[in-house]
Amino acid sequence: MKLLVILLFLGLLTGCSGNSSYSLTPQLLLVSFDGFRADYLKNYDLPHLQNFIKEGVLVEHVTNVFITKTFPNHYSIVTGLYEESHGIVANTMYDDVTKKHFSDSNDKDSFWWDGAVPIWVTNQLQENRSSAAAMWPGTDVLIHNITPSYFMNYSSSVPFEERLNNVTTWLSSSNPPVTFAMLYWEEPDASGHKYGPEDRVNMSRVLKEIDDLVGDLVQKLKVLGMWDNLNVIITSDHGMTQCSENRLIHLDSCIDRSNYSVIDLTPVAAILPKTNITEVYEKLKNCSPHMNVYLKEDIPDRFYYRHNDRIQPIILVADEGWTIVLNKSSLKLGDHGYDNSLPSMHPFLAAHGPAFRRGYRQSTINTVDIYPMMCHILGLKPQANNGTFSHAKCLLVDQWCLNLPEVIGIVISALLLLTMLTGLLIFTQNRVPASRSFSRLQLQEDDDDDPLIG
Ligand SMILES: *[C@@H]1O[C@H](CO)[C@@H](O)[C@H](O)[C@H]1NC(C)=O
Ligand SMILES: *[C@@H]1O[C@H](CO)[C@@H](O)[C@H](O)[C@H]1NC(C)=O
Ligand SMILES: *[C@@H]1O[C@H](CO)[C@@H](O)[C@H](O)[C@H]1NC(C)=O
Ligand SMILES: *[C@@H]1O[C@H](CO)[C@@H](O)[C@H](O)[C@H]1NC(C)=O
Ligand SMILES: *[C@@H]1O[C@H](CO)[C@@H](O)[C@H](O)[C@H]1NC(C)=O
Ligand SMILES: *[C@@H]1O[C@H](CO)[C@@H](O)[C@H](O)[C@H]1NC(C)=O
Ligand SMILES: *[C@@H]1O[C@H](CO)[C@@H](O)[C@H](O)[C@H]1NC(C)=O
Ligand SMILES: *[C@@H]1O[C@H](CO)[C@@H](O)[C@H](O)[C@H]1NC(C)=O
Ligand SMILES: *[C@@H]1O[C@H](CO)[C@@H](O)[C@H](O)[C@H]1NC(C)=O
Ligand SMILES: [Zn+2]
């Protein structure tokens, strides 16, 4: 025990006397592979990713936010907020007050993003720190009037290699140093939509390519001498489920198009009625047994998807694997956006580095819990958020971690010990007057032992 304290003290001393806060400021790289469904890890061969996990931590299922789309979930990761609170409530939005439109190709207006302060902004408001980003949604937009110090304008055609090279350059040689960086890649989402997650042949090819990119990432960090000191989180925004031309919901068969505008279509349709909301609702309500139709005020609490002007008066939520269409079938074989309680919609999270334990696994956290964990690693005071730091405690080396099974184990052991002690007490008390047989037994044993000792 004393030795441990001395060792710790020595460690602290050498840490402090070393050169500047430069080397002590923790660095974090946050990586997202879009649409990486949690169970791909179990169902496909991913040796590089498994090696990364072996030396770090894995969260098997991350419960993401509703709606399970790309822009909203990426913004929840970096803000810790539900969609109704950060304001990016879909990939396609319309604001009836300002008449503004948002889409993935028209996303640069700060209006849409300023409802929250993402972690890269908070990080940059600290002295001597900067942030860097390669294509993470929102990082090429002025948010609260700043962008990351280093960023790329979004272009899907920039290869992974270039994104990785530039991010590692920024992480290793900037002044003030980049302490927080983000790296985004469009796969396996694009292929998941194209082939559907049940196309094992095509998906295993795609996932092998992604696994090789993870291998390149680790290799690059090792070559640059950054592997041991950099914290790396690899995660995703959502999963993917199989769709089919046999599972279509035709809105045109229920309601005249002139009665409403479709802001977003599938699998969660955002409906803006042109006339009487109740009339439109009545027409849609019984349109299909494979979707739920909600007036805005009746959207279930568990979605945390109501208190925002950008959420339309009526939303339709298709059942898993069903696709909402107007009259034609514009079908993708895979899709996401569905109920966030569906396992197929969940991504995973893996992490490696000095802040993380080694070889630890836990079954779940929430997407909104990632933000307070990242703030803790970077030593930032978090903005108000919907995450819970303690959910991620067990992943971190510097936290006391007692999970439920361990607590139960300790309580049971304590109870057992207590019972045994009580039993022993009662036993000895009862047996004290009549302890002859006990002594005889002891004597016999001593007799037996004697020759051996002698
Ligand atoms: C700390 O390192 C910087 C370069 O990284 C160097 O300029 C400076 O002289 C060093 N300071 C000390 C006290 O070693
Ligand atoms: C910021 O960096 C400058 C020079 O590199 C240094 O003098 C100053 O102490 C640093 N501030 C903090 C808060 O680390
Ligand atoms: C991004 O694009 C804008 C104009 O479209 C340009 O002014 C700016 O320099 C670009 N930024 C980077 C980092 O490429
Ligand atoms: C990456 O860095 C190289 C070298 O500085 C630069 O030429 C290139 O434009 C950068 N790529 C992007 C997408 O910003
Ligand atoms: C994989 O995709 C190709 C088209 O790129 C398609 O022809 C093929 O049928 C797919 N494989 C399977 C097993 O469906
Ligand atoms: C709504 O649709 C009905 C047909 O179902 C049509 O008669 C009516 O004119 C439409 N109302 C509006 C305002 O477009
Ligand atoms: C909307 O329609 C319902 C049923 O058709 C009717 O009871 C209600 O008064 C209408 N509301 C308005 C504001 O017109
Ligand atoms: C589908 O909608 C288009 C208008 O977008 C219309 O021209 C066409 O007739 C419709 N087809 C069917 C089968 O209803
Ligand atoms: C989420 O956090 C924001 C910011 O603190 C807060 O305004 C909102 O009420 C929270 N939402 C829930 C459901 O607690
Ligand atoms: Zn996505």
Side-chain angles (χ1 to χ4, degrees), residues 316-330:
L316 320 176
V317 183
D319 288 352
E320 183 176 17
W322 286 77
T323 303
I324 301 172
V325 298
L326 292 170
N327 70 358
K328 59 179 190 302
S329 55
S330 49

Side-chain angles (χ1 to χ4, degrees), residues 254-260 274-275 279 283:
C254 303
I255 183 171
D256 193 289
R257 273 191 211 185
S258 63
N259 283 200
Y260 67 100
K274 283 189 177 151
T275 54
E279 272 173 21
K283 285 179 186 168

Side-chain angles (χ1 to χ4, degrees), residues 195 199 201-202:
Y195 303 119
D199 181 345
V201 175
N202 281 304

Side-chain angles (χ1 to χ4, degrees), residues 78-347:
V78 294
T79 61
L81 292 167
Y82 297 124
E83 295 175 23
E84 65 178 6
S85 292
H86 67 51
I88 305 294
V89 302
N91 288 347
T92 308
M93 296 186 279
Y94 171 69
D95 185 72
D96 205 24
V97 179
T98 56
K99 313 288 177 211
K100 288 183 177 192
H101 291 268
F102 176 97
S103 68
D104 53 6
S105 56
N106 174 30
D107 66 348
K108 297 246 182 163
D109 188 339
S110 333
F111 166 77
W112 299 102
W113 304 90
D114 276 347
V117 184
I119 188 168
W120 66 80
V121 172
T122 304
N123 186 53
Q124 247 162 230
L125 297 178
Q126 305 286 304
E127 201 177 349
N128 290 352
R129 291 188 186 189
S130 54
S131 308
M135 311 292 180
W136 191 281
T139 52
D140 56 358
V141 181
L142 278 170
I143 301 179
H144 297 284
N145 233 13
I146 60 174
T147 61
S149 309
Y150 309 92
F151 71 95
M152 296 169 180
N153 283 317
Y154 183 71
S155 161
S156 61
S157 62
V158 175
F160 185 85
E161 226 57 46
E162 187 174 343
R163 302 181 193 194
L164 175 62
N165 281 343
N166 291 25
V167 160
T168 51
T169 304
W170 291 328
L171 272 168
S172 56
S173 63
S174 311
N175 194 17
V178 167
T179 51
F180 178 64
M182 291 154 281
L183 174 57
Y184 168 82
W185 184 240
E186 287 81 356
E187 288 284 16
D189 181 73
S191 297
H193 284 299
K194 186 174 167 192
Y195 303 119
E198 286 171 12
D199 181 345
R200 274 200 71 88
V201 175
N202 281 304
M203 285 313 289
S204 57
R205 174 175 47 77
V206 170
L207 288 165
K208 185 189 180 306
E209 283 165 15
I210 288 166
D211 189 58
D212 288 342
L213 297 181
V214 173
D216 293 348
L217 169 79
V218 172
Q219 180 62 19
K220 176 112 201 160
L221 294 176
K222 283 182 174 166
V223 166
L224 293 172
M226 298 165 76
W227 175 242
D228 291 327
N229 291 320
L230 182 65
N231 295 296
V232 181
I233 295 174
I234 300 180
T235 187
S236 182
D237 49 352
H238 53 73
M240 188 68 69
T241 197
Q242 191 70 27
C243 296
S244 161
E245 60 192 3
N246 301 320
R247 293 193 294 268
L248 298 179
I249 299 162
H250 294 267
L251 291 189
D252 277 0
S253 66
C254 303
I255 183 171
D256 193 289
R257 273 191 211 185
S258 63
N259 283 200
Y260 67 100
S261 313
V262 182
I263 307 303
D264 202 3
L265 186 58
T266 191
V268 177
I271 302 290
L272 177 58
K274 283 189 177 151
T275 54
N276 183 320
I277 292 177
T278 319
E279 272 173 21
V280 172
Y281 173 72
E282 290 298 327
K283 285 179 186 168
L284 287 166
K285 197 175 64 177
N286 298 315
C287 184
S288 162
H290 302 291
M291 75 176 178
N292 287 307
V293 179
Y294 299 111
L295 285 168
K296 182 173 178 175
E297 56 269 29
D298 298 331
I299 298 172
D301 288 343
R302 67 187 180 87
F303 288 147
Y304 301 111
Y305 195 78
R306 197 184 317 153
H307 304 290
N308 196 295
D309 290 343
R310 299 166 191 173
I311 296 167
Q312 301 302 327
I314 297 171
I315 67 162
L316 320 176
V317 183
D319 288 352
E320 183 176 17
W322 286 77
T323 303
I324 301 172
V325 298
L326 292 170
N327 70 358
K328 59 179 190 302
S329 55
S330 49
L331 183 74
K332 293 168 176 168
L333 281 177
D335 210 357
H336 56 87
Y338 301 92
D339 190 333
N340 61 329
S341 69
L342 294 166
S344 63
M345 291 298 106
H346 295 167

Side-chain angles (χ1 to χ4, degrees), residues 15-54:
C16 294
S17 61
N19 190 352
S20 77
S21 60
Y22 198 99
S23 56
L24 283 181
T25 308
Q27 286 183 304
L28 174 61
L29 170 62
L30 172 65
V31 183
S32 169
F33 289 100
D34 197 314
F36 199 118
R37 173 169 151 163
D39 67 4
Y40 288 165
L41 264 176
K42 280 188 197 136
N43 298 335
Y44 293 92
D45 197 25
L46 299 156
H48 291 113
L49 192 50
Q50 295 295 358
N51 274 337
F52 179 92
I53 289 165
K54 214 176 288 165

Side-chain angles (χ1 to χ4, degrees), residues 411-430:
V411 168
I412 290 178
S413 316
L415 282 178
L416 271 177
L417 203 70
L418 210 70
T419 319
M420 271 168 61
L421 284 176
T422 318
L424 208 68
L425 205 72
I426 294 169
F427 179 79
T428 45
Q429 273 176 352
N430 287 348

